Amino acid sequence: MPQTNTTNFISVTLRMQTGVQLALFLTLTIGAVYGETGFFLNTRRVQENAQPIEAEVEALVRSSFYAADPTVVTIPRWLGNISSPEISAVVSARLQQQDSNIISVDLSEANDESEIIDSVASLVIVLSNHFDMPLDRILVVGFAEGAHLAGGVAAKVQQDLGRQLSQITALDPSSGAELDHKLSQADAEFVEVVHTNAGGEGTWERLGHVDYYPNGGQTQPGCTTDSCSHERAFELLAEMWSPENDFVSARCGSVETLSASSCRWSTHKMGQKQEEQPASGIYFLETQQSSPFSRGAYFISFL
């Protein structure tokens, strides 16, 4: 080969290698900056050691996922992971009551809101399209910032499928000021919200069809810190989902009138599943400072 052609060949080869190296560098850099959303699966067959899974058909088929069981997707606080207490609380509370697929979202390496929403929505869409799972058998639970991410996921699912998720359960949502998507009634057919540290790590803002404010929604019995009251939201889940749920609630006119004497008591219980949705609005109830939290008949005289 003539020397000129050889030189040109080497030059082109080096440019190609440099281009590949640059593309790889950019890919790794983007991955490092934005991270990835992880998924872990718990079922009654795999309660202790959650299985890592991906939002792909083959990965789900090879896991303990069982399409005949309902699914709960649980999203933790910002940068939360499967060791976060809200994740453990959801897994334990749900599996105590019924066979379910609990898919926990790991945000420890994820810090881009759009990537998180797209990833979780893709998982839900895989369940719907490839496993014939009706959207009314998929519950999305979010804690703190995870509540707003849950709303974003539901909105993305509706955009892509043209159908709404049946329910979102939001546990002491943050203000959402740092996020692009804020949870709202429009995100799912039914959005229930539990406020336990409003004005602290949570928000006073009404975000759902039904917003519960246990003990006034700001400070919880037995708590001396915002963190304690904030985390009380997911500690209430086990009783909310139990057949023995006794969180009798009263409907109030506004957050300014949250009290036992100012609200209208009903037979509705916080978190109770009914054939018909409870009347939209703001609800007050009182709890104990430790489990069992419900006070039940304590205020029956107000009914």
Side-chain angles (χ1 to χ4, degrees):
M1 180 181 296
Q3 185 174 359
T4 302
N5 290 342
T6 301
T7 301
N8 289 340
F9 174 77
I10 293 172
S11 176
V12 169
T13 302
L14 288 174
R15 286 200 299 271
M16 289 176 63
Q17 290 176 341
T18 302
V20 171
Q21 290 172 347
L22 179 60
L24 177 60
F25 172 77
L26 290 173
T27 299
L28 292 174
T29 300
I30 291 170
V33 171
Y34 293 114
E36 291 186 356
T37 303
F39 301 106
F40 290 82
L41 173 68
N42 286 95
T43 67
R44 281 186 167 174
R45 297 172 292 283
V46 187
Q47 293 194 44
E48 298 301 322
N49 298 311
Q51 293 179 329
I53 59 171
E54 297 178 12
E56 298 175 353
V57 174
E58 184 177 352
L60 288 164
V61 168
R62 292 179 180 275
S63 73
S64 295
F65 177 80
Y66 185 48
D69 290 338
T71 294
V72 176
V73 178
T74 177
I75 308 176
R77 69 193 82 191
W78 193 254
L79 296 179
N81 56 45
I82 59 168
S83 297
S84 298
E86 59 267 30
I87 295 293
S88 302
V90 173
V91 172
S92 175
R94 182 66 175 215
L95 294 182
Q96 282 178 17
Q97 303 303 328
Q98 66 182 111
D99 288 316
S100 298
N101 305 294
I102 314 296
I103 299 178
S104 302
V105 180
D106 189 328
L107 302 180
S108 58
E109 300 296 330
N111 53 18
D112 179 74
E113 180 183 353
S114 295
E115 188 277 331
I116 294 168
I117 289 173
D118 288 346
S119 294
V120 181
S122 294
L123 172 65
V124 173
I125 291 169
V126 166
L127 298 182
S128 175
N129 288 347
H130 296 280
F131 292 90
D132 293 326
M133 180 166 284
L135 293 184
D136 63 6
R137 288 176 63 78
I138 301 174
L139 167 65
V140 183
V141 179
F143 171 68
E145 293 84 7
H148 299 290
L149 294 173
V153 168
K156 176 65 173 173
V157 169
Q158 182 178 6
Q159 175 184 322
D160 291 354
L161 293 183
R163 292 174 282 124
Q164 278 192 308
L165 282 168
S166 176
Q167 181 175 336
I168 294 172
T169 295
L171 304 172
D172 207 38
S174 63
S175 67
E178 68 284 2
L179 299 172
D180 291 330
H181 186 96
K182 179 179 285 189
L183 178 69
S184 76
Q185 295 181 18
D187 291 332
E189 291 179 3
F190 180 59
V191 179
E192 65 174 354
V193 185
V194 179
H195 302 265
T196 55
N197 189 223
E201 296 187 33
T203 180
W204 284 108
E205 187 177 357
R206 182 183 172 190
L207 300 170
H209 296 90
V210 172
D211 286 66
Y212 300 100
Y213 295 81
N215 307 293
Q218 186 171 27
T219 302
Q220 300 306 305
C223 287
T224 58
T225 64
D226 281 343
S227 177
C228 173
S229 291
H230 187 45
E231 296 189 348
R232 181 63 53 83
F234 58 75
E235 293 174 350
L236 300 174
L237 266 183
E239 290 176 59
M240 286 173 59
W241 289 347
S242 169
E244 286 75 42
N245 179 345
D246 215 8
F247 286 130
V248 178
S249 304
R251 192 161 178 249
C252 309
S254 68
V255 293
E256 288 77 27
T257 59
L258 289 166
S259 69
S261 59
S262 300
C263 300
R264 184 178 182 83
W265 289 87
S266 69
T267 57
H268 175 64
K269 299 174 182 178
M270 179 177 71
Q272 185 180 50
K273 294 195 70 173
Q274 299 174 324
E275 291 186 6
E276 294 185 5
Q277 294 180 9
S280 295
I282 294 168
Y283 286 80
F284 170 87
L285 64 148
E286 288 199 346
T287 71
Q288 309 277 12
Q289 67 178 11
S290 60
S291 180
F293 291 102
S294 63
R295 299 186 71 162
Y298 184 82
F299 281 121
I300 287 296
S301 60
F302 287 94
L303 296 177

